[in-house]
């Protein structure tokens, strides 16, 4: 079935009259395949596929299919590290900074030079993801016409549609192997593919060549310690004379190689291996194999991809389809509003393409890189919301295993930040910093003020480790993976908030110095109290302190951690209040720091961060507090870029997100090939008239927006405070909705439906046997519980609490009169 044009379906309430109950979790994603009905010559039109590690951009031209390869773990690992002697100590820097603020010219020069030296390494063009080459599959367009492509969400296959000169429809299937870094390609006929080329990224240390059935290149990456080898094996054979010609041409390219040696970052200089006159025996099939690792372990010459027989390709496709069926079987949504349903499925698809349980955490743009696309800001992990947002929706979507690469990244970087915290701050614990890489360095990548002074970052880095326990109840994970990073950040914050130079002198524990995330140009870095005690610093510190205390109780560590528990409780008892002031439009609003204006234009929704990610304020809060938070959210001004998910989920948590308006924003941010990008929304903050409002779409596929399903989930079910609240932001006019196996805090898998304004078909499966609290979905009615053994119970109240047993499913419904 041909999908409708995505641009035609994002404005109305619903674009189908089909009932939401009509399809299964395995078939529902196919309703939202991504279709392009022309050659996709631009990357933002191209098909995106991946296996959670290797990503492939399937770009098409009238005369060829181009496959751009990338990989989460393949990087130019050159690093200009800042030595500890240059980083120095916080005490020295802080003294100089305060003197600068008093007008000391020598101190100004010292701090300018210090910032320059400590940021010098990050100002280099490396490290960065390394594009793994482009495979060109060319054909005679007199004999074959390129029509378009379809990305099949259900099984991760990209179908390229072509037409032979006799009018016969021809399909080329391209799919990554779910269990190996291989790409399989098959045409359903003996088509006139007559040219194949590798276009590698410019690199001095490279070899390339071919034999009768394989075409390859191998590169020692610029850092010298790692290598990449790409080999394509075909079901036919290359012309022997053409192979010999390639070898001769390769020898003649020594001058080009010398140019690359002199300028390894030269753009447009490609060492190309071309094989014309390809001979095929039967249907055209190929297998591309990507290998990477230490230079000494990556062999020379072509590798040995599996022979692309029909049997081998069929087995790989069956295993890949099984993998995707398992993925889609974990949870599902069925929405009358097909635009929101489509956003949910497509975003989860892209996430599954870019991350897997045993893989490397995707960076800013996932594994999709080509030339400069996907390389901005080093394509690394930005820890002041970008990297965290990627994983926000995984817990409620019941895709928790995709969080594990993030967990490993946090744990791997812990020793580095413990050393840094002791050396720079002379404090215990771990002060994680703004930017991280998928490989370790001896000092943090940006040990430079003000970037290393965002005190929200340490708490934010480890927050999701607590969420994984909260939503799974996995005590082994809490003990073995989460507790130590959480404890180390708590150690640091306890010590940092107890420093004796607080300018407040009010007996409370403050966070100072720090600075507001993404607002360096507006507020700057300052010792002035009115620009410190940032709301996000405070709310995330409070979140983590409480998570630490709960962890100690769960793991029975009250005796071992008695000292830190006492200190943490003391800080919480003397915690600063959030700033609340009058707004010119009327009413009281929260402010992120005392020195900000209620009319400040933000890059991130800072004044409402105690709603999310702090999770202090929500529909459970006292009326006055809730109303103040709602007013703050409604009057907040955000310039775009960091709000498609962030600001929307805050609104959903407050029960006031206008889904029709958000849907229009999704449409504004949707790229032709399916992902959602970041778009500018207004001038007046960092952006001036003349700014290209779409500039962020050209830098890469923003992995942070794969969290769009999180917003939808929070509109259907909220549980962050261990109370299950059904359809809290889903008005009746939004249409019917149903979900299956959304994961809730307390380790529950929950299903429910919403029809004609009434909650129906509620079932709760308890994985760990924890007590369950449900906000009564039928206000004023008696709630009847039916257990799997047939026993029933009846409960009343605004909320109902009941015990569960591990593995049991309980059905809830209102008791009939």
């Amino acid at each position: 079935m041909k999908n409708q044009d995505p641009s035609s379906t994002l404005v109305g309430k619903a674009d189908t009259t089909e009932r939401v109950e009509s399809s299964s979790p395995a078939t529902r994603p196919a309703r939202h395949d991504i279709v392009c009905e022309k050659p996709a010559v631009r990357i933002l039109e191209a098909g995106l596929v991946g296996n959670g590690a290797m990503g492939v951009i399937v770009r098409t031209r009238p005369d060829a299919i181009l496959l751009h390869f990338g990989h989460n773990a393949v990087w130019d690992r050159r690093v200009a590290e800042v030595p500890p002697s240059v980083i120095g100590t916080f005490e020295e820097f802080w003294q100089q900074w305060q003197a600068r603020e008093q007008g000391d010219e020598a101190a100004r020069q010292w701090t300018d030079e210090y910032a320059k030296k400590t940021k010098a390494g990050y100002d280099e063009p490396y490290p960065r993801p390394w594009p793994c080459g482009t495979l060109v599959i060319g054909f005679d367009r007199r004999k074959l016409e390129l029509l378009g492509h379809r990305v099949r969400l259900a099984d991760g296959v990209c179908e390229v549609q072509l037409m032979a000169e006799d009018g016969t429809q021809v399909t080329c299937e391209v799919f990554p192997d779910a269990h190996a870094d291989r790409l399989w390609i098959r045409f359903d006929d003996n088509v006139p593919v007559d040219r194949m080329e590798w276009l590698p990224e410019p690199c001095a240390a490279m070899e390339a060549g071919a034999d009768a059935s394989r075409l390859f290149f191998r590169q020692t990456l610029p850092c010298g310690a790692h290598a990449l080898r790409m080999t394509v094996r075909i079901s036919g054979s290359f012309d022997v004379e053409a192979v010999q010609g390639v070898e001769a041409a390769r020898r003649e390219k020594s001058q080009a190689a010398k140019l690359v040696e002199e300028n390894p970052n030269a753009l447009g200089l490609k060492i190309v291996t071309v094989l014309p006159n390809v001979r095929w025996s039967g249907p055209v099939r190929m297998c591309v194999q990507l290998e990477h690792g230490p230079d000494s372990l990556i062999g020379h010459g072509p590798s040995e991809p599996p022979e692309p027989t029909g049997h081998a390709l069929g087995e790989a496709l069956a295993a890949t389809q099984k993998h995707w069926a398992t993925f889609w079987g974990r949870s599902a949504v069925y929405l009358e509003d097909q635009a929101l349903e489509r956003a949910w499925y497509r975003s989860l698809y892209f996430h599954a393409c870019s991350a897997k349980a045993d893989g490397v955490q995707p960076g800013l743009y996932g594994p999709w890189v080509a030339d400069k696309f996907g390389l901005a800001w080093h394509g690394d992990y930005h820890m002041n919301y970008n990297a965290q947002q990627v994983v926000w929706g995984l817990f409620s979507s019941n895709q928790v295993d995709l969080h594990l690469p993030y967990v490993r990244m946090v744990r791997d970087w812990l020793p580095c930040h413990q050393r840094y915290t002791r050396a720079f701050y002379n404090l215990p614990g771990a002060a994680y910093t703004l930017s991280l890489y998928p490989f370790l360095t001896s000092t943090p990548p940006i040990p430079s003020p003000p970037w290393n002074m965002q005190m929200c970052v340490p708490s934010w880095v480890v927050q999701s480790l607590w969420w994984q326990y909260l939503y799974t109840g996995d005590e082994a994970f809490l003990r073995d993976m989460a507790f130590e990073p959480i404890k180390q950040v708590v150690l640091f914050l306890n010590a940092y908030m107890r420093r004796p130079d607080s300018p407040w002198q009010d007996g409370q524990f403050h966070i100072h110095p720090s600075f507001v995330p993404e607002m360096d140009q507006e507020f700057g870095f300052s010792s002035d109290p009115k620009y410190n005690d940032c709301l996000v610093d405070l709310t995330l510190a409070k979140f983590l302190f409480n998570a630490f205390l709960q962890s100690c109780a769960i793991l029975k560590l009250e005796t071992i951690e008695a000292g830190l528990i006492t200190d943490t409780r003391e800080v919480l008892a003397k915690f600063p209040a959030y700033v609340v002031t009058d707004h010119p439009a009327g009413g009281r609003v929260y402010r992120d720091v005392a020195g900000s204006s209620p009319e400040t234009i933000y890059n991130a929704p800072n004044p409402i961060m105690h709603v999310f990610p702090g999770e202090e304020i929500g529909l459970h809060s006292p009326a006055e507090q809730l109303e103040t938070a709602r007013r703050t959210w409604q009057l907040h001004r955000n310039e775009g870029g960091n709000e498609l998910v962030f600001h929307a989920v805050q609104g959903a948590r407050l029960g006031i997100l206008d889904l029709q308006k958000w849907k229009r924003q999704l449409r504004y941010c949707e790229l032709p090939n399916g992902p959602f990008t970041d778009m500018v929304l207004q001038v007046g903050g960092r952006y001036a008239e003349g700014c290209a409002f779409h500039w962020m779409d050209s830098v890469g596929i923003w992995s942070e927006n794969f969290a769009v399903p999180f917003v939808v989930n929070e509109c259907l079910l909220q549980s962050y405070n261990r109370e299950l609240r059904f359809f809290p932001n889903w008005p009746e006019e939004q249409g019917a909705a149903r979900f299956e196996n959304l994961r809730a805090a307390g380790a529950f898998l929950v299903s429910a439906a919403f029809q004609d304004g009434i909650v129906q078909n509620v079932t709760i499966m308890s994985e760990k046997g924890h007590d369950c609290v449900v906000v009564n979905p039928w206000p004023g009615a008696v709630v009847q519980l039916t257990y799997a053994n047939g026993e029933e119970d009846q409960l009343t109240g605004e909320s109902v609490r009941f015990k569960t047993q591990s593995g049991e499913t309980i059905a809830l419904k209102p008791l009939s009169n």
Side-chain angles (χ1 to χ4, degrees):
M1 183 180 70
K2 180 179 173 182
N3 277 18
Q4 295 186 27
D5 179 357
S7 67
S8 69
T9 58
L10 274 166
V11 177
K13 181 185 78 171
D15 52 48
T16 179
T17 57
E18 186 174 347
R19 293 180 62 82
V20 296
E21 296 86 355
S22 62
S23 55
S24 69
T27 61
R28 198 71 175 186
R31 294 166 57 92
H32 307 297
D33 287 353
I34 302 165
V35 177
C36 180
E37 296 182 335
K38 63 176 183 176
V41 297
R42 300 177 181 86
I43 285 181
L44 298 183
E45 299 170 324
L48 301 176
V49 296
N51 65 3
M54 180 184 73
V56 182
I57 301 170
V58 183
R59 191 156 64 96
T60 56
R61 299 190 319 225
D63 67 337
I65 299 171
L66 288 76
L67 304 173
H68 303 283
F69 289 83
H71 197 287
N72 286 336
V74 179
W75 273 58
D76 176 348
R77 300 190 178 206
R78 289 176 290 175
V79 178
E81 290 196 52
V82 183
S85 59
V86 172
I87 297 173
T89 67
F90 169 78
E91 182 178 1
E92 181 182 21
F93 162 76
W94 190 228
Q95 287 177 352
Q96 292 285 350
W97 186 267
Q98 290 175 303
R100 172 193 179 119
E101 292 182 326
Q102 297 299 316
D104 187 318
E105 177 60 22
R108 186 193 65 78
Q109 294 178 5
W110 187 96
T111 52
D112 285 349
E113 184 64 21
Y114 178 82
K116 180 179 178 181
K117 289 190 295 185
T118 52
K119 193 172 177 287
Y122 200 76
D123 287 339
E124 297 290 345
Y126 47 77
R128 62 180 177 90
W130 184 262
C132 299
T134 298
L135 179 64
V136 180
I137 303 171
F139 46 81
D140 186 339
R141 57 183 295 266
R142 294 171 297 181
K143 300 177 181 180
L144 208 58
E145 180 184 0
L146 196 298
L147 301 178
H149 71 265
R150 172 188 293 269
V151 176
R152 299 191 327 226
L153 268 60
D155 59 5
V157 176
C158 181
E159 294 179 357
V160 179
Q161 290 94 27
L162 308 101
M163 182 183 291
E165 58 184 331
D166 63 1
T168 304
Q169 295 282 330
V170 177
T171 299
C172 171
E173 290 185 319
V174 179
F175 66 93
D177 194 310
H179 305 293
D181 287 334
R182 299 187 185 115
L183 187 78
W184 297 87
I185 305 155
R186 72 173 176 189
F187 291 80
D188 58 10
D189 201 351
N190 188 345
V191 296
V193 170
D194 61 5
R195 184 180 84 258
M196 295 184 65
E197 308 179 23
W198 271 122
L199 305 178
E201 181 76 358
C203 181
M206 192 181 92
E207 61 179 285
D211 60 17
S213 63
R214 295 175 298 176
L215 182 64
F216 87 99
F217 73 87
R218 182 192 186 279
Q219 296 177 316
T220 298
L221 302 186
C223 65
H226 288 78
L228 166 72
R229 180 167 61 170
M230 301 292 300
T231 305
V232 57
R233 185 171 183 174
I234 67 172
S235 59
S237 62
F238 297 117
D239 183 270
V240 174
E241 293 182 2
V243 171
Q244 294 172 346
V246 166
E247 289 300 310
R250 186 168 63 87
R251 289 191 295 271
E252 292 172 3
K253 288 177 180 174
S254 59
Q255 183 61 34
K258 183 179 179 181
L259 290 174
V260 176
E261 180 80 47
E262 295 170 352
N263 185 12
N265 293 311
L267 295 177
L269 181 59
K270 304 287 186 182
I271 299 178
V272 182
T273 299
V274 185
L275 278 177
N277 305 322
V278 188
R279 298 169 179 171
W280 301 97
S281 54
V284 174
R285 296 184 294 266
M286 309 176 198
C287 181
V288 183
Q289 184 161 289
L290 182 157
E291 296 170 288
H292 67 94
D295 186 68
S296 60
L297 299 182
I298 303 300
H300 294 265
S303 65
E304 292 286 345
E307 183 180 355
T309 64
H311 177 72
L313 197 147
E315 283 193 334
L317 180 58
T320 297
Q321 289 174 330
K322 182 179 179 181
H323 164 81
W324 280 101
T326 300
F327 174 81
W328 290 121
R330 292 185 185 129
S331 62
V333 300
Y334 308 86
L335 308 178
E336 185 177 343
D337 190 322
Q338 286 292 281
L340 293 182
E341 182 180 295
R342 180 172 59 251
W344 194 89
Y345 279 102
R346 287 184 176 180
S347 298
L348 273 180
Y349 164 79
F350 293 123
H351 203 144
C353 287
S354 64
K356 63 179 182 177
D358 60 350
V360 173
Q361 176 70 8
L364 284 170
Y365 315 109
W368 295 293
V369 294
D371 292 326
K372 283 192 170 183
F373 186 80
L375 306 184
W377 293 287
H378 298 267
D380 60 16
Y381 309 131
H382 276 38
M383 308 309 296
N384 62 342
Y385 103 86
N386 305 81
Q388 291 90 334
Q389 184 171 302
V390 176
V391 306
W392 284 350
L394 296 177
F395 307 103
S396 54
S397 296
N398 197 24
Q399 303 290 354
V400 180
D401 62 318
L402 298 188
H403 180 236
L404 294 176
Y406 180 92
V407 176
R408 286 193 298 274
M409 179 263 293
V410 171
R411 289 186 58 86
D412 288 348
W413 276 99
L414 180 60
C416 171
H417 285 91
Q418 287 176 292
R419 294 192 302 270
Y420 165 74
T421 304
R422 175 58 67 185
F424 181 66
Y425 290 104
N426 194 28
L427 294 176
Y432 285 92
T433 51
L434 172 65
S435 183
L436 303 177
Y437 304 137
F439 57 91
L440 299 178
T441 55
S442 59
T443 57
I446 312 183
S448 176
W451 312 108
N452 64 332
M453 306 296 287
Q454 296 179 73
M455 290 303 148
C456 62
V457 166
S459 302
W460 219 336
V461 167
V462 300
Q463 179 184 39
S464 62
L465 277 63
W466 170 251
W467 278 336
Q468 178 152 341
Y469 168 75
L470 182 66
Y471 281 79
T472 66
D474 186 342
E475 290 189 17
F477 172 84
L478 179 63
R479 179 184 62 251
D480 299 336
M481 301 296 289
F483 182 75
E484 191 60 27
I486 290 173
K487 173 187 171 181
Q488 292 302 319
V489 173
V490 169
L491 271 169
F492 166 70
L493 288 173
N494 255 291
Y496 193 76
M497 295 176 75
R498 292 172 181 276
R499 288 177 28 253
D501 61 343
S502 169
W504 282 270
Q505 300 299 318
D506 58 2
Q508 294 182 325
F509 294 99
H510 297 269
I511 298 181
H512 172 271
S514 182
F515 88 105
V516 180
E518 304 284 349
M519 296 300 289
D520 50 293
Q521 296 180 25
E522 178 74 18
F523 302 149
F525 180 65
S526 173
S527 65
D528 191 331
K530 68 181 181 182
Y531 295 118
N532 287 274
D533 256 1
C534 309
L535 184 149
V536 62
D537 298 346
L538 295 172
T539 190
L540 285 173
K542 190 183 298 185
F543 179 101
L544 202 67
F545 289 159
N546 285 313
F548 169 73
L549 295 176
Q550 292 178 63
S551 298
C552 289
I554 293 163
L555 299 175
K556 298 178 172 55
L557 298 174
E558 292 97 330
T559 301
I560 295 174
E561 302 293 348
L564 187 54
I565 289 172
T566 298
D567 289 347
T568 301
R569 286 175 174 162
E570 182 184 17
V571 172
L572 286 172
K574 300 176 181 179
F575 218 75
Y578 301 123
V579 178
V580 182
T581 61
D582 292 327
H583 194 280
R588 305 279 282 172
V589 294
Y590 290 104
R591 287 162 60 181
D592 54 337
V593 288
S596 67
S597 162
E599 286 290 276
T600 296
I601 298 174
Y602 288 89
N603 184 246
N606 293 306
I608 325 107
M609 287 196 184
H610 46 352
V611 172
F612 185 86
E615 300 192 327
E616 290 185 70
I617 299 175
L619 294 173
H620 64 284
S621 300
E624 182 179 353
Q625 190 180 55
L626 177 60
E627 183 59 31
T628 302
R630 284 176 164 174
R631 185 181 301 109
T632 306
W633 186 86
Q634 291 165 330
L635 295 173
H636 176 71
R637 305 180 73 189
N638 222 81
E639 66 190 5
N642 299 347
E643 78 156 46
L644 182 65
V645 172
F646 208 153
H647 192 236
V649 80
Q650 292 172 333
R653 286 284 179 90
L654 295 170
I656 56 172
L657 176 63
D658 182 336
L659 285 170
Q660 295 301 310
K661 184 175 181 179
W662 184 57
K663 198 164 55 170
R664 292 189 290 272
Q665 188 179 1
L666 286 173
R667 182 184 182 186
Y668 175 55
C669 296
E670 188 174 26
L671 295 175
N673 57 350
F676 295 102
T677 190
D678 291 330
M679 296 284 282
V680 177
L681 293 174
Q682 71 173 85
V683 298
R686 296 190 298 184
Y687 301 118
E689 292 295 347
C691 164
F693 273 42
H694 64 283
W695 72 269
M696 284 175 277
D697 67 7
S698 63
V699 301
I701 303 298
W702 288 91
S703 61
E704 64 193 53
N705 289 331
F706 300 163
V708 160
F710 182 46
V711 180
V712 177
N713 294 350
E714 293 298 310
C715 293
L716 300 173
L717 176 72
Q718 293 181 16
S719 66
Y720 61 93
N721 65 337
R722 293 185 183 255
E723 293 181 346
L724 276 61
R725 193 179 297 267
F726 289 86
F727 301 97
N729 198 109
W730 200 268
E732 182 177 351
E733 58 269 21
Q734 194 64 35
R738 180 164 66 92
F739 61 84
E740 292 179 2
N741 291 332
L742 292 188
R743 181 171 287 277
F748 301 107
L749 294 180
V750 184
S751 302
F754 185 79
Q755 183 79 39
D756 299 325
I758 300 173
V759 178
Q760 306 171 7
N761 305 324
V762 176
T763 62
I764 300 171
M765 197 281 279
S766 175
E767 289 187 328
K768 298 295 182 179
H770 295 161
D771 287 1
C772 185
V773 179
V774 175
V775 176
N776 193 337
W778 309 281
V782 175
V783 180
Q784 178 171 299
L785 279 60
T786 303
Y787 297 88
N789 62 7
E791 292 183 3
E792 296 181 348
D793 198 1
Q794 297 174 10
L795 300 172
T796 60
E798 293 183 5
S799 296
V800 296
R801 175 186 290 271
F802 50 93
K803 295 188 176 298
T804 71
Q805 295 182 8
S806 179
E808 76 172 342
T809 298
I810 303 167
L812 282 68
K813 67 178 183 180
L815 189 63
S816 302
N817 292 328

